[in-house]
Amino acid sequence: MDKLDLVGIGIGPFNLSLAAQLDGVADVSSIFLEQRSEFAWHPDMMLPGVELQTSFLKDLVTLTNPTSKWSFLSYMVARKRMLDFMNADFSAVPRREFAAYLKWVADHLDGLAFDSSVREVTFDGQDFKVRTDHASYVANNLAIGVGKPAFVPAWARQLPKHKCFHTSQAKSNLPKLRGKKIAVIGGGQSGAELVEYLLGGNIKDVEEVLWLSRRDNFEPLDDTPFVNEYFTPGYADVFAGLPDACKQDLMSRQKLASDGASLSTLKSIYQLLYRQRYLQEGNVAGRLLPQREVFQVQQDGEAMRIAARNGLNQDVEFFDADALILATGYETTLPEFMAPLRSRLEVGASGAYRLDADFRAQWDGPSDRNIFVQNAGRIDLGIFEPQLSLMAWRSAKIVNALTGKNVFNLDQNPPIVDWVAGSGDLAGGAVVQAWG
């Protein structure tokens, strides 16, 4: 069995980006494994009209490798739709279009193996051993990009699946919805998209939509220029070197930079509510309920009784619904196949890994045997980490760390914003002192 330089586990956008960046890099042997039979990016969240919340130029490769044949623009040319796309003048790229681009890359890129469920990863002191149902691989390094499981609150785990499901399963379950009153729990983009879809009368028999959120209000994604500086290598490098206490504080204040709803979606929801209330257009009413933290749901016959605490006056309020849709996000967990290495990994604030600035998990193995991890370092590395925004830069950093060479020139101009005074040890020391 030949030893590989890298085995990638999971083929989502992030490991697909890494595979695309490695394409053409000499003397690096790799394979990427995926349990599904073909590439699919959030297929159950592809509702009609949903939009990408970032620029198409922040694709798999362009930020660091603009001449790559795996760019979004290369896809457009290959599909012979570049001029039509330009003439359409989308204010935001349809998410279906970006998903089609990702699948186009996955369908044409070598070194990807689908129908390959990884069962176990071990380390024998010299090499990683990766076992699937049908094959085994030996590698010097790993790249884990398996995504995150849906977070289901404790109060929802015993509810019947046909009456309570996560947005990651929405498209499959929405046609099965039965009932006049549907509650959506969660105030981010996925919750907003479901509310817009339901208010638009797309599900038969639905007459009222309740939208509950712990947030102070239904607020838009903050994508102003200076906030977008959080999604730059200059800020990412500074953030990675901060003490944990400082990182936690910053993360709590930057929520809307990565987890707000698109302004266009919020405007559409408001207009739908206006039309239904004042112009008698549409037959689905809406009830918007911010600052409500759901803590209990009980079944009452076919209906469900929701108990929520109002954050304004601390009152407990009750709402009835026929079905619930959970827009409750995702959680970082250690995949089962990594169980043999669990005791050797340093656990970070995320509860699974502690990552360094090159996206390497900290562990007690040899320094030349790396476990690169994607989409598991938001707390260690910043709000950009689970987003598409810097995936090409991250992949390039991983390639450089993997090879020990500057395969990609990642030097940057000074940031528009001076995040720290001075540079090097002086800046780091000043920050550490300020945060104890």
Side-chain angles (χ1 to χ4, degrees), residues 211-274:
W211 190 11
L212 294 89
S213 171
R214 292 183 302 179
R215 304 184 190 202
D216 292 343
N217 204 342
F218 300 103
E219 297 175 316
L221 182 76
D222 189 345
D223 62 352
T224 51
F226 292 111
V227 167
N228 281 334
E229 284 289 308
Y230 295 152
F231 300 89
T232 61
Y235 183 77
D237 288 339
V238 169
F239 188 97
L242 296 174
D244 287 349
C246 179
K247 290 178 180 179
Q248 295 277 9
D249 180 63
L250 288 171
M251 292 290 291
S252 67
R253 293 183 301 179
Q254 295 174 359
K255 186 176 183 67
L256 290 177
S258 65
D259 197 25
S262 295
L263 180 59
S264 60
T265 307
L266 294 177
K267 288 179 68 174
S268 174
I269 291 170
Y270 200 97
Q271 290 170 2
L272 285 165
L273 293 170
Y274 182 96

Side-chain angles (χ1 to χ4, degrees), residues 20-21 56-75 101 392-393 396 407-410:
Q21 296 281 45
F56 65 82
L57 292 176
K58 295 179 177 180
D59 61 14
L60 298 171
V61 293
T62 296
L63 289 185
T64 57
N65 192 10
T67 60
S68 170
K69 62 183 178 181
W70 305 119
S71 70
F72 181 84
L73 294 180
S74 294
Y75 154 78
Y101 152 65
W393 172 77
V407 175
F408 295 99
N409 183 352
L410 300 181

Side-chain angles (χ1 to χ4, degrees), residues 287-337:
R287 192 173 178 194
L288 273 58
L289 301 159
Q291 299 211 28
R292 267 68 168 203
E293 182 170 7
V294 177
F295 63 88
Q296 186 181 67
V297 177
Q298 292 182 331
Q299 282 193 263
D300 183 9
E302 286 299 307
M304 287 181 281
R305 185 84 163 159
I306 302 167
R309 182 167 286 104
N310 189 312
L312 286 175
N313 57 18
Q314 302 306 308
D315 284 352
V316 173
E317 301 172 344
F318 297 92
F319 308 95
D320 293 322
D322 298 308
L324 303 182
I325 304 175
L326 305 174
T328 47
Y330 300 83
E331 57 183 333
T332 300
T333 60
L334 194 73
E336 280 301 312
F337 60 74

Side-chain angles (χ1 to χ4, degrees), residues 3 13 16 67 73 243 339 421 426:
K3 182 162 63 173
L16 186 61
T67 60
L73 294 180
L426 179 60

Side-chain angles (χ1 to χ4, degrees), residues 153-164:
W155 48 259
R157 291 170 192 165
Q158 301 305 316
L159 297 174
K161 299 295 188 291
H162 69 285
K163 284 182 168 289
C164 178

Side-chain angles (χ1 to χ4, degrees), residues 172-237:
S172 296
N173 285 281
L174 283 171
K176 307 172 190 175
L177 271 183
R178 294 293 181 270
K180 296 182 178 182
K181 188 179 294 188
I182 310 299
V184 177
I185 315 295
Q189 176 66 11
S190 59
E193 290 172 357
L194 262 297
V195 170
E196 180 186 29
Y197 183 78
L198 292 168
L199 289 176
N202 291 287
I203 301 298
K204 184 181 178 182
D205 297 330
V206 173
E207 295 179 2
E208 185 177 25
V209 177
L210 285 67
W211 190 11
L212 294 89
S213 171
R214 292 183 302 179
R215 304 184 190 202
D216 292 343
N217 204 342
F218 300 103
E219 297 175 316
L221 182 76
D222 189 345
D223 62 352
T224 51
F226 292 111
V227 167
N228 281 334
E229 284 289 308
Y230 295 152
F231 300 89
T232 61
Y235 183 77
D237 288 339

